[in-house]
Amino acid sequence: MRIAVDVMGGDNAPDAIITGCLDAIELLSSDDTLVLIGDQELIEEAIAERTLSDDDKQRLEIVGTTQSIGMGESPVQAIRDKPDSSLVVMGKMAGRKAGDKKVDVIISAGNTGACVAAAQMSLRRLPGVHRPGIAIILPTFHGPVVLCDVGANPEPRPSHLYQYAKMSAIYSREVLGVDNPRVALLSIGGEENKGNSLVKETNEIIKSDSSINYVGYCEGRSLFKGMADVVVCEGFTGNVVLKLSEGLSKGLFEIIAHEILEEDPGLAMQFEPVAKRVWKKHDYHEYGGAPLLGANSICMICHGSSQARTIKNAIRKAISYAEHHVNDAIVEAFANSEVVAEESA
Amino acid sequence: MRIAVDVMGGDNAPDAIITGCLDAIELLSSDDTLVLIGDQELIEEAIAERTLSDDDKQRLEIVGTTQSIGMGESPVQAIRDKPDSSLVVMGKMAGRKAGDKKVDVIISAGNTGACVAAAQMSLRRLPGVHRPGIAIILPTFHGPVVLCDVGANPEPRPSHLYQYAKMSAIYSREVLGVDNPRVALLSIGGEENKGNSLVKETNEIIKSDSSINYVGYCEGRSLFKGMADVVVCEGFTGNVVLKLSEGLSKGLFEIIAHEILEEDPGLAMQFEPVAKRVWKKHDYHEYGGAPLLGANSICMICHGSSQARTIKNAIRKAISYAEHHVNDAIVEAFANSEVVAEESA
């Protein structure tokens, strides 16, 4: 398998990204190659600084590029204006016209919108899929919840959300090992008459597909209560949920730590191991990347503030995704679907 | 002033609601009346159980009703089918046709959708306002943030969000005493090119109104970082944000408490006062009700799980809202607005 990483994307790029790649060599099989895409000189320097065996070095390949896309750039514009950016070059290497250098996996912690746009342009979609969606794993007190979409598609149609439900359930089953995952639709009340028209129409389509273990609406407060293994929502709200969860958890930990320190510095020392334990369970760095479900390749989108271990974990996740043949299962599910969700629905 | 409370609405109704009303008598001025609307017998019993002075009793009025609307009922249907429900009767008592029994304030912890529908039907809107929006106060580590809308209007137009920005800023200034409140629009990135079309169009309208101290987009993670005093969003996402914040904070506290107990029961005892202190700052019961901004009356919507003290605090909030003439300020602001936001925009 050939795994490509955009080493120029992310707040901590390129150093942390390159380090994460080199740390991940131990995860590779003998026939895997890790393709580092970005500033050739920087990558070569970083490799030279590490003590790598010849075997290790043989698993690495460098593709030098001269441009990179910033976190704040307009996705479509950036993709158009920067043909030699690490992201655009990586996308093309996974696309249909890639030739014998074709990669099977692409990973980036860069501008999410640009990742999605590059993937849409170069990879196209799996047969039967209307729009790809980003599926993150939300760590909750009752175990991981797959939340899809968190920003690939901020103005989806009901048919898109229906497809996210189907794809996310496959991802939950195959990669997380959840047997018959319970699927919910994020809404503003448990009753069917609540929500907006997008949610109500999606509800009807999902209900009509008996292959989905659908448990109905899930409210914001129930996301962390273990009522579902998969929660589907439109990308705008999903992105707000994701970032709000991060910001709120982080802020709460900070304020608790602050108050404990005020109360008694000795107490703070005792509290530290507890905080670390709880924090680790809610740390997105542990989960690595989020797949762009429905893209016609394996595309892992990582958090903008990814650290080296986030990238290593994303590579681990991508290998697991490939080994479980998630994309094949998605194609098969849509080919055999009893529900035909029209793009125009 | 005449303040009406729907004692049949909410998870803890009617007991907690009636108790909250009776506890709030001490907040009333000599010319205020508290109108309790609901099951007459239950209200009379509860009053008989309390030792109230004649003065106190004179400030109470009971309006007996025979129906109540459940939390899960379809709002519009329920309002139509239950003309003698506490909510519908209360709405009419605040409406234009109320006569000399007209109330100045209505408060309910019942079905939010039904509250909004009843208010829309009986109260109509303040001159110049297209759609009312619910403005909650979100307790954050950097002080209270007004978030509007959290569920009155799940499918708003850009002109509605613009009006929420204007009304919420007035509310923040008049009731919370924030000088020149900073207003932000909830989105999925800080840059103008991010977000959906609703957000981008609203952004343009708000920017064109120099009377708003607009600071641009606010991401989910920045909500708790003190970047704005007012955050505007559509009701669906706002409702998810509100409930997610509650659920996540509660869950995090529970898991931290659990882990501390596992670590050392002695430590748990020491941690308790810290937890209580932090929790109190984030406790929505302290904030009472959320005004339905733009309704042509003072309408306070309370949390479904309101306790007696939530209701007492909501009555306190309603009195403060009236004393600060928030509705007059809203009417004046729209009358003098340099921006004419068309309903069809």
Side-chain angles (χ1 to χ4, degrees):
Chain A
M1 195 160 64
R2 292 170 57 76
I3 302 168
V5 179
D6 161 24
V7 306
M8 309 309 283
D11 301 333
N12 305 317
D15 292 356
I17 314 298
I18 298 176
T19 303
C21 289
L22 301 182
D23 291 347
I25 295 177
E26 64 182 44
L27 304 174
L28 304 177
S29 310
S30 58
D31 55 349
D32 288 341
T33 302
L34 198 54
V35 184
L36 284 75
I37 305 179
D39 185 311
Q40 181 134 10
E41 205 171 314
L42 283 177
I43 300 171
E44 282 173 352
E45 269 173 27
I47 293 176
E49 275 172 18
R50 293 274 279 238
T51 326
L52 296 176
S53 69
D54 285 346
D55 257 16
D56 284 352
K57 282 183 191 162
Q58 277 190 339
R59 292 204 189 125
L60 297 178
E61 197 177 298
I62 303 173
V63 172
T65 55
T66 57
Q67 295 176 305
S68 60
I69 293 174
M71 300 302 269
E73 290 190 57
S74 164
V76 177
Q77 192 68 32
I79 295 258
R80 227 178 261 148
D81 295 350
K82 295 186 170 172
D84 199 41
S85 62
S86 48
L87 199 52
V88 171
V89 169
M90 185 171 74
K92 283 189 180 149
M93 287 184 69
R96 291 172 307 161
K97 300 174 188 163
D100 59 353
K101 286 283 182 187
K102 189 174 195 294
V103 296
D104 307 287
V105 171
I106 61 174
I107 297 173
S108 179
N111 184 316
T112 300
C115 289
V116 174
Q120 292 257 43
M121 196 177 66
S122 302
L123 310 178
R124 305 298 172 90
R125 303 182 294 269
L126 291 172
V129 175
H130 297 153
R131 274 305 174 86
I134 302 172
I136 57 137
I137 293 172
L138 207 60
T140 83
F141 320 113
H142 300 272
V145 170
V146 177
L147 183 71
C148 181
D149 168 48
V150 297
N153 186 3
E155 272 163 294
R157 294 177 182 163
S159 61
H160 302 162
L161 295 194
Y162 158 67
Q163 292 201 330
Y164 295 158
K166 220 166 159 72
M167 294 194 288
S168 301
I170 292 168
Y171 177 58
S172 171
R173 190 185 71 210
E174 299 296 331
V175 174
L176 301 180
V178 178
D179 187 38
N180 200 20
R182 295 159 301 159
V183 176
L185 193 55
L186 190 63
S187 189
I188 59 175
E191 303 81 17
E192 288 205 324
N193 58 54
K194 296 200 173 164
N196 54 23
S197 55
L198 173 67
V199 162
K200 289 178 194 167
E201 285 171 41
T202 306
N203 179 53
E204 292 306 319
I205 309 180
I206 300 184
K207 276 202 297 184
S208 72
D209 187 336
S210 64
S211 73
I212 297 176
N213 182 11
Y214 183 51
V215 295
Y217 293 161
C218 168
E219 283 190 280
R221 72 164 70 89
S222 309
L223 256 175
F224 296 92
K225 282 190 179 167
M227 77 160 275
D229 305 297
V230 168
V231 175
V232 173
C233 62
E234 45 86 9
F236 185 89
T237 304
N239 190 277
V240 170
V241 163
L242 170 63
K243 289 176 179 165
L244 179 70
S245 304
E246 281 175 29
L248 183 56
S249 314
K250 195 153 178 281
L252 259 181
F253 269 100
E254 281 168 6
I255 202 159
I256 289 171
H258 173 84
E259 292 274 348
I260 286 178
L261 209 60
E262 292 268 294
E263 179 89 6
D264 173 6
L267 187 59
M269 275 178 63
Q270 287 176 277
F271 181 66
E272 211 183 315
V274 174
K276 278 194 176 150
R277 225 157 47 223
V278 177
W279 186 245
K280 197 171 153 64
K281 288 185 190 164
H282 296 85
D283 183 6
Y284 53 82
H285 295 295
E286 293 292 314
Y287 286 88
L292 183 66
L293 294 179
N296 191 11
S297 181
I298 297 171
C299 173
M300 287 282 164
I301 293 176
C302 302
H303 200 288
S305 64
S306 285
Q307 300 163 358
R309 69 187 170 99
T310 328
I311 298 301
K312 183 179 177 183
N313 284 328
I315 293 171
R316 193 197 311 271
K317 271 274 147 53
I319 293 170
S320 167
Y321 190 99
E323 282 172 350
H324 288 91
H325 305 286
V326 177
N327 283 353
D328 293 342
I330 289 173
V331 172
E332 199 189 321
F334 283 116
N336 299 324
S337 180
E338 62 194 278
V339 176
V340 179
E342 294 299 336
E343 170 74 54
S344 60
Chain B
M1 193 163 61
R2 290 170 56 76
I3 302 168
V5 179
D6 161 23
V7 307
M8 310 309 282
D11 301 333
N12 305 316
D15 290 359
I17 314 298
I18 298 174
T19 303
C21 290
L22 301 182
D23 290 348
I25 296 176
E26 64 182 45
L27 304 174
L28 305 176
S29 310
S30 58
D31 55 348
D32 289 338
T33 303
L34 198 55
V35 184
L36 284 73
I37 305 179
D39 185 311
Q40 179 134 14
E41 206 171 312
L42 283 176
I43 298 170
E44 283 172 351
E45 270 172 27
I47 292 175
E49 275 172 19
R50 294 274 279 239
T51 324
L52 297 175
S53 68
D54 285 345
D55 257 14
D56 285 349
K57 283 183 191 163
Q58 277 190 339
R59 291 203 190 128
L60 298 176
E61 196 177 298
I62 303 172
V63 172
T65 55
T66 58
Q67 296 176 307
S68 58
I69 294 175
M71 299 303 267
E73 290 190 57
S74 164
V76 178
Q77 193 69 32
I79 296 264
R80 225 178 262 148
D81 295 351
K82 295 185 169 172
D84 199 40
S85 61
S86 48
L87 199 52
V88 172
V89 169
M90 185 170 74
K92 283 188 181 151
M93 285 184 69
R96 289 172 308 161
K97 299 173 187 163
D100 59 353
K101 286 282 182 189
K102 189 173 196 298
V103 297
D104 307 287
V105 171
I106 61 175
I107 297 173
S108 179
N111 184 319
T112 300
C115 288
V116 174
Q120 292 257 43
M121 196 177 66
S122 303
L123 311 179
R124 306 297 172 92
R125 303 183 294 270
L126 290 173
V129 174
H130 298 319
R131 276 302 176 88
I134 303 172
I136 57 137
I137 293 172
L138 206 60
T140 84
F141 319 113
H142 300 272
V145 170
V146 176
L147 183 71
C148 180
D149 166 48
V150 298
N153 186 4
E155 274 164 294
R157 294 177 182 164
S159 61
H160 302 161
L161 294 194
Y162 159 67
Q163 292 201 331
Y164 295 157
K166 219 165 159 73
M167 292 193 289
S168 300
I170 292 168
Y171 177 58
S172 172
R173 188 185 72 210
E174 299 296 329
V175 175
L176 300 179
V178 177
D179 186 38
N180 200 20
R182 295 158 302 158
V183 176
L185 193 55
L186 190 63
S187 189
I188 60 176
E191 303 80 18
E192 287 205 326
N193 58 55
K194 296 201 173 163
N196 54 22
S197 54
L198 174 67
V199 163
K200 289 178 196 167
E201 284 172 42
T202 306
N203 179 53
E204 293 305 319
I205 310 180
I206 300 184
K207 276 201 297 183
S208 72
D209 188 335
S210 63
S211 74
I212 298 176
N213 182 10
Y214 183 50
V215 295
Y217 292 161
C218 168
E219 284 189 280
R221 74 164 68 90
S222 310
L223 257 175
F224 296 91
K225 282 191 179 166
M227 76 160 274
D229 305 297
V230 167
V231 176
V232 172
C233 61
E234 47 86 9
F236 185 90
T237 303
N239 192 277
V240 170
V241 163
L242 170 64
K243 288 175 179 165
L244 179 71
S245 305
E246 279 175 31
L248 183 57
S249 316
K250 196 153 175 281
L252 259 182
F253 269 100
E254 279 167 8
I255 201 159
I256 289 172
H258 173 83
E259 292 275 349
I260 286 179
L261 209 60
E262 291 268 294
E263 179 89 7
D264 173 7
L267 186 60
M269 274 178 62
Q270 288 176 276
F271 180 67
E272 213 184 314
V274 174
K276 278 194 176 150
R277 226 157 44 221
V278 177
W279 185 244
K280 197 171 154 63
K281 289 184 189 162
H282 296 88
D283 182 5
Y284 54 83
H285 294 295
E286 292 292 316
Y287 286 89
L292 183 66
L293 295 179
N296 192 10
S297 181
I298 297 171
C299 175
M300 287 281 165
I301 294 177
C302 302
H303 201 287
S305 64
S306 285
Q307 299 164 359
R309 70 187 168 100
T310 329
I311 299 301
K312 183 179 175 183
N313 284 327
I315 293 171
R316 192 197 311 270
K317 272 273 147 54
I319 293 171
S320 168
Y321 190 100
E323 283 173 349
H324 288 91
H325 306 287
V326 177
N327 284 353
D328 293 341
I330 290 173
V331 173
E332 198 189 321
F334 283 115
N336 300 325
S337 180
E338 61 195 278
V339 177
V340 179
E342 294 297 336
E343 169 74 56
S344 60

